[in-house]
Amino acid sequence: MIKFLIEKEFKQLLRNSFLPKLILVFPCMIMLLMPWAVNLEIKNIQLNIVDNDHSAISQRLVNKIAASTYFRLVEVPASYEEGLRNIEIGTADIVMEIPRHLERDWMNGEDAHVLIAANAVNGTKGGLGSSYLSSIINDYAAELRSEHPEAATVSGTFPSIQVDTQGLFNPNLNYKLYMIPALMVMLLTLICGFLPALNVVSEKEVGTIEQINVTPVPKFVFILAKLLPYWLIGFLVLTVCFILAWLIYGIVPVGHFLLIYFFAVLFVLVMSGFGLVISNYSATMQQSMFVMWFCLLVVILMSGLFTPVSSMPEWAQIITIFNPLKYFMEVMRMIYLKGSGFFDLLPQFGILLLFAVVFNSWAVISYRKNN
């Protein structure tokens, strides 16, 4: 009897032309893709250096930092304020300011102070980036001491380069400030993206959807009716998350709640359309759940939830361009920590709007009432 049941299950699995292929592709994708894309090493940190000294010593320091594989020297702004503006608009992660008279003070045996201002929206990235930079500066100070023994004071001590670090937007490097907005995105994805799709597939299996297909209800109206309850539940859950974040962790957004809800509406449209596309091409609940789990795992790990996208290899960064979770996580973190306004989020708005149009049009077109 057991042998018969096992054989039946294998035959039922192999009868599905899609699942065996996905079962083989899934582990290959995980083993080949994830170890490269999801790592805890911070690289490609976008750096601005404000050189107020313009001396040989300061130029050597700039060249030494630029040669590091951890940093990309994207700009040398004329002032510290200009560098801070670059952090606010997202073109820089760290601004380092070299003080005036660095070379003169060093040769006179006086300590110099270098300021590091790091974008601490991602506390891990900001903290590690500042640590890397401090280590390079300390190594450079050791080189100068060996090259200029005459810089020693009468007591025999050498001057040093002190590093003053400042975390912007998250001065205490509180990791919860970085993770909680992203977890809200995850909940919206599950409730408004995958649950409606599973509901549609379950009705396919039971056969109740056939009773609706013979009615004159348009495809668009039918799909909208399936999604609306989950949208309302999703926004209710999002509101509860806001309250819990405030009561338990004391976290409130610097920006406006209305802007979060506006982008949440757009994101919900994106994920609902994406889930419906999967359900339209799935014949069974088993198949749809496997596909959704595969997609969910990839979009989560490639969204910047744990690892900064800029630290991924270039080919992985290209893949993240097609990941809607990445853009809504950026929106949530920018509103929560930076207090960004709508015009600061125009790039994310345009991309999410494009995703919404493509996925929902695809869902309506691919749904066939004669299934």
Side-chain angles (χ1 to χ4, degrees):
M1 184 66 179
I2 296 177
K3 180 181 178 182
F4 170 75
L5 292 175
I6 293 175
E7 290 178 354
K8 182 185 79 67
E9 290 299 325
F10 270 109
K11 290 178 180 178
Q12 185 174 350
L13 175 64
L14 295 175
R15 195 178 297 123
N16 191 315
S17 60
F18 180 76
L19 269 181
K21 299 174 185 176
L22 186 60
I23 291 173
L24 293 176
V25 170
F26 183 70
C28 297
M29 286 287 292
I30 295 300
M31 295 304 296
L32 294 175
L33 183 66
M34 296 310 161
W36 290 96
V38 183
N39 62 79
L40 298 179
E41 190 175 23
I42 306 298
K43 287 187 176 182
N44 299 320
I45 301 171
Q46 299 181 101
L47 176 66
N48 282 190
I49 297 180
V50 181
D51 187 359
N52 294 318
D53 192 37
H54 301 290
S55 63
I57 285 182
S58 67
Q59 188 58 48
R60 276 184 56 192
L61 176 59
V62 172
N63 294 336
K64 185 178 181 66
I65 295 171
S68 170
T69 58
Y70 294 102
F71 297 97
R72 284 192 301 154
L73 183 58
V74 294
E75 189 176 342
V76 183
S79 65
Y80 176 71
E81 290 73 19
E82 186 178 340
L84 289 182
R85 284 195 296 272
N86 291 337
I87 286 184
E88 290 176 357
I89 63 178
T91 59
D93 298 315
I94 295 179
V95 175
M96 187 184 81
E97 183 181 28
I98 299 174
R100 296 181 185 275
H101 312 304
L102 171 68
E103 186 174 51
R104 187 193 67 182
D105 292 343
W106 179 272
M107 300 308 295
N108 291 336
E110 300 177 7
D111 292 341
H113 290 265
V114 172
L115 175 63
I116 296 176
N119 183 353
V121 168
N122 183 342
T124 303
K125 185 177 183 180
L128 287 178
S130 301
S131 299
Y132 294 160
L133 202 52
S134 299
S135 177
I136 295 174
I137 294 173
N138 291 331
D139 289 343
Y140 181 64
E143 291 180 11
L144 290 179
R145 284 193 288 269
S146 63
E147 295 174 3
H148 301 281
E150 69 279 3
T153 60
V154 177
S155 60
T157 60
F158 284 90
S160 62
I161 301 178
Q162 304 292 333
V163 179
D164 301 323
T165 304
Q166 178 183 8
L168 302 176
F169 311 118
N170 186 8
N172 297 321
L173 301 181
N174 186 356
Y175 194 63
K176 297 182 183 67
L177 284 174
Y178 182 70
M179 287 301 299
I180 287 177
L183 294 177
M184 296 179 188
V185 177
M186 291 300 310
L187 289 173
L188 271 183
T189 302
L190 292 173
I191 295 172
C192 301
F194 294 116
L195 289 184
L198 291 176
N199 185 26
V200 172
V201 178
S202 66
E203 290 199 11
K204 279 186 182 180
E205 282 193 324
V206 175
T208 56
I209 200 170
E210 297 298 331
Q211 301 174 12
I212 301 175
N213 285 341
V214 297
T215 66
V217 177
K219 291 190 293 184
F220 176 78
V221 175
F222 168 71
I223 291 174
L224 187 63
K226 298 296 278 183
L227 296 179
L228 271 176
Y230 294 96
W231 290 353
L232 295 176
I233 294 172
F235 287 115
L236 177 62
V237 170
L238 182 62
T239 304
V240 171
C241 289
F242 289 152
I243 297 173
L244 292 177
W246 170 59
L247 291 176
I248 299 175
Y249 304 105
I251 298 174
V252 294
V254 180
H256 296 288
F257 280 109
L258 290 178
L259 190 58
I260 295 178
Y261 280 113
F262 172 77
F263 275 93
V265 170
L266 194 56
F267 178 72
V268 163
L269 286 172
V270 173
M271 297 313 300
S272 298
F274 179 66
L276 286 176
V277 168
I278 294 176
S279 69
N280 289 342
Y281 290 97
S282 300
T284 63
M285 179 73 78
Q286 182 185 27
Q287 180 179 336
S288 63
M289 288 184 68
F290 206 113
V291 175
M292 288 176 186
W293 169 247
F294 170 75
C295 294
L296 183 64
L297 187 62
V298 172
V299 296
I300 289 175
L301 296 179
M302 302 290 288
S303 65
L305 176 63
F306 304 107
T307 306
V309 173
S310 59
S311 298
M312 299 179 185
E314 290 187 4
W315 57 265
Q317 294 184 37
I318 295 174
I319 295 175
T320 62
I321 295 174
F322 306 98
N323 187 355
L325 263 73
K326 166 193 169 184
Y327 301 101
F328 190 50
M329 282 187 185
E330 290 176 353
V331 168
M332 290 290 288
R333 285 166 174 163
M334 289 174 71
I335 295 176
Y336 251 87
L337 281 87
K338 289 186 176 183
S340 300
F342 177 76
F343 291 103
D344 300 318
L345 302 169
L346 275 178
Q348 288 83 359
F349 171 75
I351 295 174
L352 287 175
L353 182 62
L354 179 62
F355 275 123
V357 172
V358 171
F359 283 140
N360 285 280
S361 300
W362 189 359
V364 172
I365 294 172
S366 61
Y367 175 73
R368 292 182 292 273
K369 295 185 70 175
N370 58 354
N371 279 351

mmCIF file of all heavy atoms in Angstrom, residues 60-90:
data_model
loop_
_atom_site.group_PDB
_atom_site.id
_atom_site.type_symbol
_atom_site.label_atom_id
_atom_site.label_comp_id
_atom_site.label_asym_id
_atom_site.label_seq_id
_atom_site.Cartn_x
_atom_site.Cartn_y
_atom_site.Cartn_z
ATOM 1 N N ARG A 60 48.893 62.576 -0.903
ATOM 2 C CA ARG A 60 49.283 61.172 -0.742
ATOM 3 C C ARG A 60 48.201 60.389 0.004
ATOM 4 O O ARG A 60 47.911 59.239 -0.323
ATOM 5 C CB ARG A 60 50.599 61.079 0.018
ATOM 6 C CG ARG A 60 51.858 61.238 -0.843
ATOM 7 C CD ARG A 60 53.099 61.035 -0.018
ATOM 8 N NE ARG A 60 53.092 59.732 0.654
ATOM 9 C CZ ARG A 60 53.961 59.396 1.617
ATOM 10 N NH1 ARG A 60 54.872 60.288 2.023
ATOM 11 N NH2 ARG A 60 53.912 58.210 2.165
ATOM 12 N N LEU A 61 47.606 61.038 0.992
ATOM 13 C CA LEU A 61 46.530 60.388 1.740
ATOM 14 C C LEU A 61 45.331 60.107 0.836
ATOM 15 O O LEU A 61 44.736 59.021 0.876
ATOM 16 C CB LEU A 61 46.116 61.258 2.925
ATOM 17 C CG LEU A 61 44.923 60.753 3.762
ATOM 18 C CD1 LEU A 61 45.214 59.368 4.335
ATOM 19 C CD2 LEU A 61 44.596 61.734 4.881
ATOM 20 N N VAL A 62 44.979 61.078 -0.008
ATOM 21 C CA VAL A 62 43.868 60.891 -0.940
ATOM 22 C C VAL A 62 44.160 59.733 -1.890
ATOM 23 O O VAL A 62 43.297 58.880 -2.144
ATOM 24 C CB VAL A 62 43.598 62.191 -1.716
ATOM 25 C CG1 VAL A 62 42.580 61.956 -2.829
ATOM 26 C CG2 VAL A 62 43.118 63.292 -0.788
ATOM 27 N N ASN A 63 45.367 59.678 -2.417
ATOM 28 C CA ASN A 63 45.735 58.609 -3.353
ATOM 29 C C ASN A 63 45.730 57.240 -2.675
ATOM 30 O O ASN A 63 45.333 56.230 -3.276
ATOM 31 C CB ASN A 63 47.116 58.888 -3.952
ATOM 32 C CG ASN A 63 47.120 60.118 -4.832
ATOM 33 O OD1 ASN A 63 46.080 60.522 -5.365
ATOM 34 N ND2 ASN A 63 48.271 60.743 -4.989
ATOM 35 N N LYS A 64 46.167 57.204 -1.419
ATOM 36 C CA LYS A 64 46.202 55.930 -0.691
ATOM 37 C C LYS A 64 44.783 55.407 -0.467
ATOM 38 O O LYS A 64 44.520 54.207 -0.621
ATOM 39 C CB LYS A 64 46.908 56.133 0.651
ATOM 40 C CG LYS A 64 47.106 54.851 1.460
ATOM 41 C CD LYS A 64 47.858 55.138 2.744
ATOM 42 C CE LYS A 64 48.080 53.858 3.546
ATOM 43 N NZ LYS A 64 48.986 52.909 2.855
ATOM 44 N N ILE A 65 43.871 56.287 -0.118
ATOM 45 C CA ILE A 65 42.480 55.868 0.099
ATOM 46 C C ILE A 65 41.825 55.456 -1.222
ATOM 47 O O ILE A 65 41.092 54.464 -1.295
ATOM 48 C CB ILE A 65 41.682 57.003 0.770
ATOM 49 C CG1 ILE A 65 42.227 57.269 2.178
ATOM 50 C CG2 ILE A 65 40.197 56.675 0.831
ATOM 51 C CD1 ILE A 65 41.648 58.499 2.839
ATOM 52 N N ALA A 66 42.092 56.222 -2.286
ATOM 53 C CA ALA A 66 41.499 55.914 -3.589
ATOM 54 C C ALA A 66 41.975 54.568 -4.124
ATOM 55 O O ALA A 66 41.267 53.914 -4.898
ATOM 56 C CB ALA A 66 41.828 57.020 -4.590
ATOM 57 N N ALA A 67 43.177 54.127 -3.707
ATOM 58 C CA ALA A 67 43.707 52.846 -4.170
ATOM 59 C C ALA A 67 43.076 51.659 -3.454
ATOM 60 O O ALA A 67 43.242 50.518 -3.883
ATOM 61 C CB ALA A 67 45.226 52.814 -3.973
ATOM 62 N N SER A 68 42.327 51.910 -2.382
ATOM 63 C CA SER A 68 41.702 50.827 -1.637
ATOM 64 C C SER A 68 40.547 50.233 -2.434
ATOM 65 O O SER A 68 39.801 50.943 -3.115
ATOM 66 C CB SER A 68 41.194 51.349 -0.286
ATOM 67 O OG SER A 68 40.395 50.379 0.356
ATOM 68 N N THR A 69 40.377 48.929 -2.320
ATOM 69 C CA THR A 69 39.273 48.256 -3.016
ATOM 70 C C THR A 69 37.937 48.463 -2.307
ATOM 71 O O THR A 69 36.890 48.135 -2.860
ATOM 72 C CB THR A 69 39.549 46.749 -3.114
ATOM 73 O OG1 THR A 69 39.729 46.210 -1.793
ATOM 74 C CG2 THR A 69 40.802 46.482 -3.946
ATOM 75 N N TYR A 70 37.967 49.000 -1.099
ATOM 76 C CA TYR A 70 36.728 49.194 -0.350
ATOM 77 C C TYR A 70 36.024 50.496 -0.705
ATOM 78 O O TYR A 70 34.841 50.655 -0.425
ATOM 79 C CB TYR A 70 37.014 49.177 1.155
ATOM 80 C CG TYR A 70 37.496 47.849 1.659
ATOM 81 C CD1 TYR A 70 38.850 47.633 1.931
ATOM 82 C CD2 TYR A 70 36.622 46.791 1.851
ATOM 83 C CE1 TYR A 70 39.305 46.405 2.390
ATOM 84 C CE2 TYR A 70 37.067 45.551 2.304
ATOM 85 C CZ TYR A 70 38.409 45.368 2.573
ATOM 86 O OH TYR A 70 38.852 44.150 3.014
ATOM 87 N N PHE A 71 36.748 51.433 -1.311
ATOM 88 C CA PHE A 71 36.173 52.751 -1.565
ATOM 89 C C PHE A 71 36.229 53.083 -3.054
ATOM 90 O O PHE A 71 37.115 52.624 -3.787
ATOM 91 C CB PHE A 71 36.938 53.830 -0.787
ATOM 92 C CG PHE A 71 36.867 53.669 0.703
ATOM 93 C CD1 PHE A 71 37.886 53.033 1.400
ATOM 94 C CD2 PHE A 71 35.779 54.137 1.420
ATOM 95 C CE1 PHE A 71 37.824 52.873 2.766
ATOM 96 C CE2 PHE A 71 35.705 53.987 2.788
ATOM 97 C CZ PHE A 71 36.732 53.354 3.460
ATOM 98 N N ARG A 72 35.243 53.903 -3.450
ATOM 99 C CA ARG A 72 35.248 54.509 -4.781
ATOM 100 C C ARG A 72 35.217 56.023 -4.595
ATOM 101 O O ARG A 72 34.233 56.563 -4.098
ATOM 102 C CB ARG A 72 34.044 54.050 -5.601
ATOM 103 C CG ARG A 72 34.159 52.640 -6.148
ATOM 104 C CD ARG A 72 33.076 52.376 -7.169
ATOM 105 N NE ARG A 72 31.748 52.551 -6.593
ATOM 106 C CZ ARG A 72 30.682 52.873 -7.313
ATOM 107 N NH1 ARG A 72 30.796 53.102 -8.608
ATOM 108 N NH2 ARG A 72 29.502 52.998 -6.733
ATOM 109 N N LEU A 73 36.307 56.668 -4.969
ATOM 110 C CA LEU A 73 36.375 58.127 -4.837
ATOM 111 C C LEU A 73 35.583 58.730 -5.989
ATOM 112 O O LEU A 73 36.074 58.868 -7.107
ATOM 113 C CB LEU A 73 37.832 58.590 -4.868
ATOM 114 C CG LEU A 73 38.073 60.086 -4.667
ATOM 115 C CD1 LEU A 73 37.496 60.569 -3.343
ATOM 116 C CD2 LEU A 73 39.558 60.404 -4.749
ATOM 117 N N VAL A 74 34.338 59.075 -5.718
ATOM 118 C CA VAL A 74 33.445 59.537 -6.779
ATOM 119 C C VAL A 74 33.542 61.040 -7.009
ATOM 120 O O VAL A 74 33.186 61.522 -8.091
ATOM 121 C CB VAL A 74 31.980 59.151 -6.466
ATOM 122 C CG1 VAL A 74 31.817 57.648 -6.504
ATOM 123 C CG2 VAL A 74 31.538 59.696 -5.117
ATOM 124 N N GLU A 75 34.003 61.788 -6.007
ATOM 125 C CA GLU A 75 34.065 63.239 -6.175
ATOM 126 C C GLU A 75 34.983 63.840 -5.120
ATOM 127 O O GLU A 75 35.148 63.292 -4.024
ATOM 128 C CB GLU A 75 32.661 63.848 -6.050
ATOM 129 C CG GLU A 75 32.582 65.330 -6.431
ATOM 130 C CD GLU A 75 31.168 65.872 -6.398
ATOM 131 O OE1 GLU A 75 30.226 65.047 -6.417
ATOM 132 O OE2 GLU A 75 31.007 67.111 -6.338
ATOM 133 N N VAL A 76 35.582 64.971 -5.471
ATOM 134 C CA VAL A 76 36.391 65.758 -4.528
ATOM 135 C C VAL A 76 35.744 67.135 -4.443
ATOM 136 O O VAL A 76 36.142 68.074 -5.143
ATOM 137 C CB VAL A 76 37.866 65.860 -4.980
ATOM 138 C CG1 VAL A 76 38.694 66.627 -3.938
ATOM 139 C CG2 VAL A 76 38.460 64.469 -5.200
ATOM 140 N N PRO A 77 34.708 67.280 -3.605
ATOM 141 C CA PRO A 77 33.992 68.562 -3.541
ATOM 142 C C PRO A 77 34.851 69.667 -2.952
ATOM 143 O O PRO A 77 35.830 69.414 -2.241
ATOM 144 C CB PRO A 77 32.792 68.245 -2.644
ATOM 145 C CG PRO A 77 33.207 67.068 -1.838
ATOM 146 C CD PRO A 77 34.138 66.277 -2.697
ATOM 147 N N ALA A 78 34.449 70.898 -3.242
ATOM 148 C CA ALA A 78 35.218 72.049 -2.780
ATOM 149 C C ALA A 78 34.973 72.361 -1.316
ATOM 150 O O ALA A 78 35.809 73.006 -0.677
ATOM 151 C CB ALA A 78 34.879 73.271 -3.636
ATOM 152 N N SER A 79 33.843 71.926 -0.762
ATOM 153 C CA SER A 79 33.527 72.257 0.624
ATOM 154 C C SER A 79 32.839 71.080 1.298
ATOM 155 O O SER A 79 32.285 70.189 0.636
ATOM 156 C CB SER A 79 32.626 73.493 0.701
ATOM 157 O OG SER A 79 31.358 73.226 0.122
ATOM 158 N N TYR A 80 32.864 71.095 2.625
ATOM 159 C CA TYR A 80 32.221 70.052 3.412
ATOM 160 C C TYR A 80 30.714 70.069 3.207
ATOM 161 O O TYR A 80 30.066 69.019 3.135
ATOM 162 C CB TYR A 80 32.576 70.264 4.887
ATOM 163 C CG TYR A 80 31.906 69.309 5.836
ATOM 164 C CD1 TYR A 80 32.277 67.969 5.875
ATOM 165 C CD2 TYR A 80 30.919 69.744 6.718
ATOM 166 C CE1 TYR A 80 31.667 67.083 6.746
ATOM 167 C CE2 TYR A 80 30.307 68.870 7.591
ATOM 168 C CZ TYR A 80 30.683 67.542 7.612
ATOM 169 O OH TYR A 80 30.070 66.680 8.478
ATOM 170 N N GLU A 81 30.120 71.261 3.099
ATOM 171 C CA GLU A 81 28.669 71.381 2.889
ATOM 172 C C GLU A 81 28.254 70.737 1.576
ATOM 173 O O GLU A 81 27.202 70.093 1.488
ATOM 174 C CB GLU A 81 28.248 72.856 2.914
ATOM 175 C CG GLU A 81 28.330 73.519 4.281
ATOM 176 C CD GLU A 81 29.766 73.788 4.714
ATOM 177 O OE1 GLU A 81 30.659 73.797 3.821
ATOM 178 O OE2 GLU A 81 30.001 73.961 5.918
ATOM 179 N N GLU A 82 29.069 70.884 0.555
ATOM 180 C CA GLU A 82 28.763 70.256 -0.735
ATOM 181 C C GLU A 82 28.806 68.737 -0.624
ATOM 182 O O GLU A 82 27.987 68.030 -1.221
ATOM 183 C CB GLU A 82 29.760 70.744 -1.787
ATOM 184 C CG GLU A 82 29.454 70.266 -3.195
ATOM 185 C CD GLU A 82 30.450 70.814 -4.216
ATOM 186 O OE1 GLU A 82 31.118 71.826 -3.902
ATOM 187 O OE2 GLU A 82 30.549 70.222 -5.307
ATOM 188 N N GLY A 83 29.741 68.230 0.159
ATOM 189 C CA GLY A 83 29.808 66.786 0.379
ATOM 190 C C GLY A 83 28.595 66.264 1.124
ATOM 191 O O GLY A 83 28.076 65.186 0.809
ATOM 192 N N LEU A 84 28.095 67.030 2.109
ATOM 193 C CA LEU A 84 26.900 66.623 2.831
ATOM 194 C C LEU A 84 25.684 66.581 1.916
ATOM 195 O O LEU A 84 24.816 65.712 2.053
ATOM 196 C CB LEU A 84 26.642 67.576 4.002
ATOM 197 C CG LEU A 84 27.605 67.487 5.195
ATOM 198 C CD1 LEU A 84 27.177 68.461 6.287
ATOM 199 C CD2 LEU A 84 27.672 66.070 5.746
ATOM 200 N N ARG A 85 25.619 67.516 0.981
ATOM 201 C CA ARG A 85 24.507 67.496 0.014
ATOM 202 C C ARG A 85 24.561 66.233 -0.836
ATOM 203 O O ARG A 85 23.519 65.662 -1.185
ATOM 204 C CB ARG A 85 24.546 68.747 -0.863
ATOM 205 C CG ARG A 85 24.042 70.005 -0.169
ATOM 206 C CD ARG A 85 23.755 71.107 -1.175
ATOM 207 N NE ARG A 85 24.952 71.549 -1.883
ATOM 208 C CZ ARG A 85 25.767 72.502 -1.446
ATOM 209 N NH1 ARG A 85 25.488 73.128 -0.307
ATOM 210 N NH2 ARG A 85 26.828 72.848 -2.138
ATOM 211 N N ASN A 86 25.762 65.786 -1.172
ATOM 212 C CA ASN A 86 25.904 64.554 -1.943
ATOM 213 C C ASN A 86 25.405 63.343 -1.146
ATOM 214 O O ASN A 86 24.822 62.413 -1.708
ATOM 215 C CB ASN A 86 27.356 64.353 -2.355
ATOM 216 C CG ASN A 86 27.816 65.372 -3.377
ATOM 217 O OD1 ASN A 86 27.001 65.958 -4.105
ATOM 218 N ND2 ASN A 86 29.112 65.624 -3.434
ATOM 219 N N ILE A 87 25.627 63.352 0.168
ATOM 220 C CA ILE A 87 25.106 62.271 1.005
ATOM 221 C C ILE A 87 23.591 62.310 1.028
ATOM 222 O O ILE A 87 22.912 61.277 0.946
ATOM 223 C CB ILE A 87 25.683 62.372 2.436
ATOM 224 C CG1 ILE A 87 27.147 61.933 2.448
ATOM 225 C CG2 ILE A 87 24.876 61.518 3.406
ATOM 226 C CD1 ILE A 87 27.779 61.910 3.823
ATOM 227 N N GLU A 88 23.024 63.495 1.123
ATOM 228 C CA GLU A 88 21.569 63.626 1.195
ATOM 229 C C GLU A 88 20.881 63.136 -0.077
ATOM 230 O O GLU A 88 19.813 62.527 -0.015
ATOM 231 C CB GLU A 88 21.194 65.080 1.471
ATOM 232 C CG GLU A 88 21.559 65.547 2.879
ATOM 233 C CD GLU A 88 21.263 67.011 3.093
ATOM 234 O OE1 GLU A 88 20.823 67.678 2.114
ATOM 235 O OE2 GLU A 88 21.474 67.515 4.217
ATOM 236 N N ILE A 89 21.505 63.382 -1.239
ATOM 237 C CA ILE A 89 20.880 62.950 -2.489
ATOM 238 C C ILE A 89 21.268 61.528 -2.869
ATOM 239 O O ILE A 89 20.762 60.984 -3.848
ATOM 240 C CB ILE A 89 21.220 63.913 -3.649
ATOM 241 C CG1 ILE A 89 22.732 63.915 -3.931
ATOM 242 C CG2 ILE A 89 20.734 65.318 -3.339
ATOM 243 C CD1 ILE A 89 23.132 64.802 -5.105
ATOM 244 N N GLY A 90 22.183 60.922 -2.088
ATOM 245 C CA GLY A 90 22.504 59.517 -2.297
ATOM 246 C C GLY A 90 23.670 59.222 -3.213
ATOM 247 O O GLY A 90 23.910 58.064 -3.538
#
